[in-house]
Amino acid sequence: MAYSEKVMDHFANPRNVGEMSDADGIGEVGNSKCGDIMKMYIKVRDNIITDVSFKTFGCGAAIATSSMATELVKGKPIDEALKLTNKAVMEALDGLPPVKVHCSVLAEQAIKAALSDYYIKQGIDPETIVGKATECDES
Amino acid sequence: MQRIVYADNAATTRLSEKAFEAMKPYFCEYFGNASSLYKLGGQSQKAVDNARMLIAQCINAPQPNNIYFTSGGSESDNWAIKGAAELGERKGKKHIISSKFEHHAVLHTLEYLEKHGFEVTLLDVHENGLVRPDELEKAIRDDTALVTIMFANNEIGTIQPIKELAEIAHRHNVVFHTDAVQAVGTVPIDVQDLGVDMLSMSSHKFHGPKGMGALYVRKGIRLPNLIHGGGQERGLRAGTENTAGIVGMSIALKESVENMAERNARLEKMRDRLIEELLKIERSRINGDRINRLPGNVNMCFEGIEGESLLLMLDLQGISASSGSACTSGSLDPSHVLLSIGLPHEIAHGSLRLTFSDENNEEDIDYILSKVPQIVERLRKMSPLWEKIVKESK
């Protein structure tokens, strides 16, 4: 199993890593038993994700996909971020080994979980917009 | 230039220069088939005979013909276990005892036998990674065909009381096999003193070539054929001998045995210093018994981080190591060895195995100690699990 150069770059120099004290939405997916947890923080102004950061417990691919997912939604309108797919994250990283595909799914879910949390805080039911969140998905 | 530290000698080792030199003539010069009548064949036959004698001496086997060459540890384990199972079945004995943290070459062979009507009891290895002899005694039944317990664990390096376990098996007339892949060439092995019936070994774990192994079989154990064909390996394992591999294995083992006492004293010192220093990292633990342990094995867990990312970070610093995390095992579960000693999943995910050989030195330990604590800290800083652990402890 070998990671692409892009994966190694995002693993060794993760973008947007760290806590955000004034986040408008926080999402956490995965669990420690499965070996990966991703936590995403977003800041929203006028329906645009103005800032995003993450914290991840997991393997190299988990860290790299978190980093890439934050890059892909940063500065984007919410409706565009909602369209983020695990496939897009994988493609942006020049692919992942088959056993690591679930990490990209987790990254997509983490972004969506943060958006759900944002809607809840706005008093809006997120389910119709974001959909239901699933955990520890092995796809 | 960046320092390179190879600290994964339990995975494989570098081929010894002496072994390499000894192998060379058997590729292009003395290439004859050991079974051929003419001189060229005779030279190969002689080389194979000498190697067999040398290996027998290294483990104090009574006769060279107790040694059967195989393709490696996995083949030796498969042959010994399936062979003993077949011998047992002939007498209506279809029960096998082993331990929970055996190598997959043993565990998966046992699973295969279960599908063919055998019953398997896996002994607990407890929190220190050691089988308890009284529990073996209790597990033996009238229909037990085989006890197979590994000599030293490949992940946590714990060394089992093999002599005592073999005695118990024999008291009940049960065949005893040990997978000694991690032990041969590393710690003293005397098959007669141990009293084992069969013992598996693998050449590339002691600086021999890959694709070579052997099975020691005590006189009187009439193991069924593994490979049908020609008369090689006393007719039990057919196929033209890998002369160069056999020669390389024997020279590497001789070398490993010769400098063992001096080497182990040095490795134990290095191991213990590394363990002591790494234990200073907050919420770290050492896995497996501290005393009954291979001289070059360190296996630690660091809470709040995941093993694969730790390995990748170490690799970026030139350190080759290994982990029992799920991500390195290719499944959702962390290593069965770490789970067998009672570690919860989330702690087992954060394991690090460093294994040393003759080629490592104190400077390697210094270098590892200059890198591991800062990498653990960096990964913890970005870990939401570590955040939770810290919060809960307050």
Side-chain angles (χ1 to χ4, degrees):
Chain A
M1 187 195 77
Y3 286 133
S4 71
E5 266 177 49
K6 271 220 179 114
V7 171
M8 281 312 290
D9 176 38
H10 275 262
F11 166 73
N13 314 291
R15 280 54 148 187
N16 312 308
V17 64
E19 269 175 76
M20 196 188 287
S21 54
D22 57 345
D24 297 317
I26 301 174
E28 189 180 304
V29 295
N31 67 55
S32 58
K33 197 170 179 249
C34 302
D36 29 34
I37 305 175
M38 288 183 195
K39 200 168 176 182
M40 294 274 182
Y41 306 81
I42 54 166
K43 197 140 189 62
V44 181
R45 287 288 168 276
D46 303 327
N47 279 319
I48 288 177
I49 298 175
T50 54
D51 200 8
V52 53
S53 70
F54 79 93
K55 279 182 96 170
T56 290
F57 158 77
C59 62
I63 291 171
T65 52
S66 312
S67 168
M68 184 51 90
T70 61
E71 285 284 272
L72 291 174
V73 300
K74 200 174 182 178
K76 298 277 165 65
I78 287 182
D79 47 345
E80 245 182 76
L82 282 170
K83 286 182 204 145
L84 178 77
T85 62
N86 78 299
K87 216 170 147 233
V89 176
M90 279 207 303
E91 277 166 11
L93 287 168
D94 292 339
L96 284 175
V99 293
K100 301 293 185 180
V101 173
H102 78 277
C103 292
S104 65
V105 175
L106 217 54
E108 175 198 320
Q109 287 174 349
I111 295 285
K112 287 181 176 159
L115 286 165
S116 288
D117 184 54
Y118 166 71
Y119 281 120
I120 289 166
K121 281 176 178 154
Q122 300 297 309
I124 301 163
D125 177 14
E127 215 175 295
T128 50
I129 308 166
V130 185
K132 263 194 176 150
T134 50
E135 272 207 8
C136 209
D137 195 358
E138 248 305 275
S139 47
Chain B
M1 212 183 74
Q2 192 188 44
R3 193 181 176 93
I4 300 291
V5 175
Y6 182 73
D8 202 15
N9 287 280
T12 193
T13 56
R14 183 207 305 275
L15 181 64
S16 111
E17 291 288 339
K18 263 192 203 165
F20 187 38
E21 287 305 319
M23 288 169 77
K24 277 179 186 172
Y26 295 95
F27 289 103
C28 298
E29 208 178 328
Y30 306 126
F31 61 88
N33 189 320
S35 305
S36 300
L37 186 70
Y38 40 78
K39 264 190 212 126
L40 197 62
Q43 278 156 340
S44 295
Q45 186 61 58
K46 210 173 155 202
V48 170
D49 289 346
N50 283 340
R52 202 185 302 277
M53 194 157 58
L54 208 51
I55 290 170
Q57 281 166 3
C58 287
I59 60 168
N60 197 30
Q63 298 288 332
N65 62 19
N66 295 130
I67 306 295
Y68 294 86
F69 290 116
T70 67
S71 67
S74 294
E75 184 186 320
S76 298
D77 287 340
N78 270 260
W79 189 11
I81 295 168
K82 286 184 198 166
E86 192 182 320
L87 294 177
E89 197 174 15
R90 288 181 203 159
K91 297 179 201 156
K93 293 181 172 185
K94 293 191 80 172
H95 176 236
I96 300 173
I97 301 170
S98 189
S99 81
K100 282 185 180 164
F101 73 169
E102 295 293 314
H103 191 274
H104 284 134
V106 170
L107 288 180
H108 289 171
T109 303
L110 294 175
E111 280 169 24
Y112 165 83
L113 288 170
E114 275 182 312
K115 282 183 199 144
H116 289 78
F118 280 82
E119 252 188 90
V120 174
T121 302
L122 297 181
L123 299 174
D124 206 340
V125 292
H126 305 278
E127 66 285 348
N128 57 356
L130 295 173
V131 167
R132 294 187 184 161
D134 61 310
E135 292 181 355
L136 169 62
E137 181 115 48
K138 274 181 221 145
I140 294 177
R141 317 191 309 210
D142 291 339
D143 63 341
T144 304
L146 169 72
V147 176
T148 172
I149 307 281
M150 74 197 315
F151 199 110
N153 185 269
N154 50 311
E155 285 187 40
I156 60 174
T158 50
I159 299 172
Q160 305 302 325
I162 292 298
K163 187 176 176 175
E164 200 179 336
L165 297 173
E167 264 170 24
I168 292 167
H170 289 157
R171 216 181 294 142
H172 299 268
N173 293 315
V174 178
V175 174
F176 189 91
H177 164 253
T178 183
D179 168 4
V181 163
Q182 293 290 337
V184 173
T186 300
V187 291
I189 303 273
D190 178 333
V191 287
Q192 294 186 70
D193 178 57
L194 288 169
V196 295
D197 297 307
M198 292 186 281
L199 178 143
S200 302
M201 57 185 115
S202 167
S203 151
H204 73 106
K205 305 292 188 188
F206 49 77
H207 304 278
K210 292 172 183 59
M212 269 311 301
L215 180 66
Y216 159 79
V217 184
R218 178 180 63 81
K219 195 181 170 203
I221 303 280
R222 301 182 69 86
L223 212 56
N225 270 37
L226 178 67
I227 299 178
H228 302 275
Q232 293 90 353
E233 302 307 299
R234 308 181 79 202
L236 297 185
R237 188 203 184 260
T240 299
E241 294 87 346
N242 172 5
T243 317
I246 288 169
V247 169
M249 176 179 176
S250 68
I251 298 299
L253 183 58
K254 181 170 175 270
E255 207 183 348
S256 295
V257 169
E258 275 169 358
N259 67 10
M260 193 178 278
E262 176 274 328
R263 179 183 71 232
N264 284 352
R266 200 168 63 78
L267 285 178
E268 278 171 16
K269 219 176 120 225
M270 283 162 53
R271 173 197 71 188
D272 292 341
R273 179 164 78 95
L274 184 58
I275 292 172
E276 285 308 323
E277 290 299 316
L278 290 178
L279 280 174
K280 289 179 184 164
I281 296 176
E282 191 186 348
R283 286 183 182 268
S284 61
R285 54 164 287 153
I286 172 85
N287 299 316
D289 195 82
R290 290 278 307 259
I291 311 292
N292 299 299
R293 187 181 195 93
L294 290 174
N297 176 293
V298 173
N299 191 310
M300 311 273 304
C301 278
F302 305 103
E303 284 185 44
I305 64 168
E306 196 280 330
E308 192 211 79
S309 42
L310 177 57
L311 294 192
L312 288 172
M313 291 267 181
L314 286 169
D315 189 30
L316 291 171
Q317 303 294 334
I319 300 167
S320 308
S322 137
S323 169
S325 80
C327 281
T328 51
S329 71
S331 73
L332 269 185
D333 287 322
S335 116
H336 69 287
V337 174
L338 298 177
L339 296 180
S340 76
I341 57 167
L343 291 189
H345 278 66
E346 54 269 33
I347 292 179
H349 283 304
S351 79
L352 172 68
R353 181 186 75 176
L354 297 155
T355 44
F356 302 98
S357 79
D358 207 17
E359 295 177 349
N360 295 103
N361 56 34
E362 292 283 354
E363 283 80 59
D364 290 343
I365 305 297
D366 291 337
Y367 186 69
I368 291 167
L369 284 171
S370 75
K371 298 295 175 192
V372 173
Q374 69 186 52
I375 290 171
V376 170
E377 196 190 327
R378 188 176 170 207
L379 289 170
R380 279 177 173 175
K381 239 183 201 162
M382 65 165 95
S383 163
L385 179 60
W386 179 248
E387 189 185 312
K388 252 175 238 170
I389 292 167
V390 171
K391 225 177 258 171
E392 276 163 22
S393 71
K394 271 178 189 163

